[in-house]
Amino acid sequence: VIRLGGFPIAAHPGSPKPELSWSDWTLPIGGVEWLNADSEWRDESRWTLTKALLTYPARRTETLTTLLDRPESVIERWDTLTRDRPVVAIAGTDAHARLGLRSLSEPYGPGASLHVPSYERLFRVFANVLPGISLTGDAAADADLVIAAIRRGHVYTAIDGLHGTGTLSFTATDGSTRAEPGDVVSSLREWTLNIELGGPADALIQLFRDGVRTNESSMRMKHMIDIGSRGAYRVEVSLPGAPGQPPIPWLLSNPIYVGDRPSSATSAPLPRASKFEVRYSDGPATGWTIAASPASKAALDVVPMERGTQLALRYAIGGAASE
C-alpha cells in the first residue's frame, strides 16, 4: 500500500471477533481506528442489544451512542506507537445497516436480518473533524484536501451523540512558530500548548503525554513545556454522564510531537518502481502454455475490450471426492 502511495490504517484493531482484530503491530501502518462502531457493538450482551432495539425507534442516535465505550487497549497501543513515530488516529463507523436476527451483533449472520441501524443514524453518532478545511464543491479537489489532512494528523474525533456542537483548538507555539496536531516540533525550544474548547461548561479537558495524563481542567488550558520535554501530547475532553465502562470521551485529538523522531513510514520516499516485461499487448495468444493435472481443465481466451484485447484464463480444478 505504501509503495503505491497509499496510507494504510489498521481497521477495527480491537474487534472482539478474532479474525477482524489487528495482530501485527510491527508493520508500518500510518493510522489506526481508535474507535470502530462495529467493534463497540460486538462486545455488548444480548440483553443490551435487545434493549437497544426497543429504544432505537424513538431515540435512534442516543441509543447508538449508549453502546460506545472507551477502547482502553486500542488507545494504549496507539499511545505506544506514537512514542516512536507519528501515527494518526481516526474513528470508523464501519456501517452495515443490518443486524442478523440470530446473533444481533453479527451483520451477515445466517437467516433473516433487520435493516437497522440506518446509515444516516450511524453517521450522526460521531465524526472526524478536519479543522481549517473548507470544501470547494469539487469532489476530486475536496477528496485530496481531506486525505491530505488525515495523513498529516490534522483531525480530531467528536462524539456528536453526546453533544452535537463543540469545537476543539489544540496548538503549540514557541512565539514565532505554530504547530497543530500531527506536526513534529523540536524539543530544543520552549513550547506553550494552547487548548481552547467551545462546548458545555462542565466539560473536562485532559492533557496526555505519551499516554499518561498530566493535566486536567474545565477552563482554557495553557501548559508550558520546558526544553527537552519530549513526548507525544494529545487531548481528550470528557462529559459527565457519558456512557460506557470506561466512559467514551467526547473529543479526542491527535498528538503534537515534541522532539525529533522518524517520520511516518507512509510519508517516506517511495521505493524505485520495479521494471516489468510486457508479455502480451493485444493480438492472438501466442507463446503461452497451460500446465494442468489430468483431472483439471484450463483455457486461455482473447477477450475484446474497449481498447484492444486482453487475456482471460478459465480453469476448473479437479480433486478427490469428499468422504
Side-chain angles (χ1 to χ4, degrees):
V1 171
I2 297 172
R3 181 176 63 84
L4 296 176
F7 187 73
I9 296 176
H12 38 72
S15 175
K17 193 172 184 178
E19 55 266 43
L20 295 181
S21 63
W22 188 263
S23 58
D24 192 350
W25 293 99
T26 63
L27 294 177
I29 55 174
V32 61
E33 278 186 347
W34 79 270
L35 181 66
N36 178 276
D38 181 74
S39 299
E40 290 296 302
W41 304 325
R42 286 182 183 274
D43 64 359
E44 301 295 337
S45 68
R46 190 175 184 87
W47 163 244
T48 299
L49 293 175
T50 301
K51 184 171 62 174
L53 285 176
L54 295 176
T55 60
Y56 177 77
R59 296 171 55 83
R60 299 184 179 185
T61 301
E62 295 84 351
T63 296
L64 297 176
T65 304
T66 63
L67 302 178
L68 302 180
D69 304 274
R70 186 182 191 273
E72 298 278 78
S73 61
V74 175
I75 293 179
E76 181 179 349
R77 176 67 70 173
W78 172 50
D79 284 329
T80 300
L81 293 175
T82 57
R83 293 171 191 170
D84 297 323
R85 62 182 179 85
V87 178
V88 179
I90 64 169
T93 303
D94 204 347
H96 296 283
R98 58 184 289 157
L99 290 174
L101 285 178
R102 291 186 182 180
S103 60
L104 287 184
S105 62
E106 183 58 58
Y108 297 103
S113 62
L114 295 173
H115 292 277
V116 295
S118 69
Y119 287 105
E120 179 182 358
R121 288 300 163 182
L122 284 170
F123 295 154
R124 291 180 182 272
V125 176
F126 55 79
N128 295 301
V129 183
L130 309 176
I133 295 295
S134 298
L135 301 181
T136 66
D138 182 303
D142 290 342
D144 289 341
L145 288 174
V146 169
I147 293 174
I150 293 175
R151 292 184 73 136
R152 292 195 299 268
H154 295 179
V155 54
Y156 68 86
T157 302
I159 310 298
D160 297 325
L162 290 179
H163 194 275
T165 58
T167 58
L168 174 65
S169 175
F170 176 41
T171 59
T173 179
D174 64 353
S176 60
T177 305
R178 182 177 181 273
E180 301 177 20
D183 293 343
V184 180
V185 299
S186 174
S187 60
L188 300 179
R189 305 177 188 174
E190 189 172 88
W191 293 91
T192 301
L193 290 182
N194 299 284
I195 304 170
E196 298 184 30
L197 176 66
D202 55 356
L204 181 66
I205 304 171
Q206 298 176 315
L207 177 66
F208 291 80
R209 176 178 178 267
D210 290 338
V212 178
R213 187 175 59 192
T214 61
N215 297 76
E216 64 179 33
S217 171
S218 58
M219 305 293 289
R220 170 177 170 174
M221 181 187 297
K222 285 192 176 183
H223 182 63
M224 293 296 297
I225 303 177
D226 297 329
I227 293 176
S229 296
R230 298 168 55 88
Y233 294 81
R234 62 175 183 82
V235 171
E236 290 186 28
V237 180
S238 59
L239 293 178
Q245 295 295 329
I248 188 75
W250 173 40
L251 306 174
L252 182 142
S253 80
N254 270 278
I256 294 175
Y257 302 91
V258 178
D260 299 331
R261 64 190 65 205
S263 299
S264 170
T266 58
S267 62
L270 298 180
R272 182 176 299 176
S274 302
K275 293 183 178 180
F276 298 93
E277 179 183 356
V278 177
R279 301 298 302 274
Y280 176 81
S281 181
D282 296 331
T286 58
W288 292 86
T289 301
I290 299 177
S293 69
S296 301
K297 300 294 182 181
L300 197 63
D301 300 325
V302 177
V303 181
M305 303 296 292
E306 183 177 350
R307 296 181 180 180
T309 58
Q310 70 177 21
L311 299 183
L313 176 67
R314 293 183 290 113
Y315 62 92
I317 300 177
S322 176
E323 298 182 354

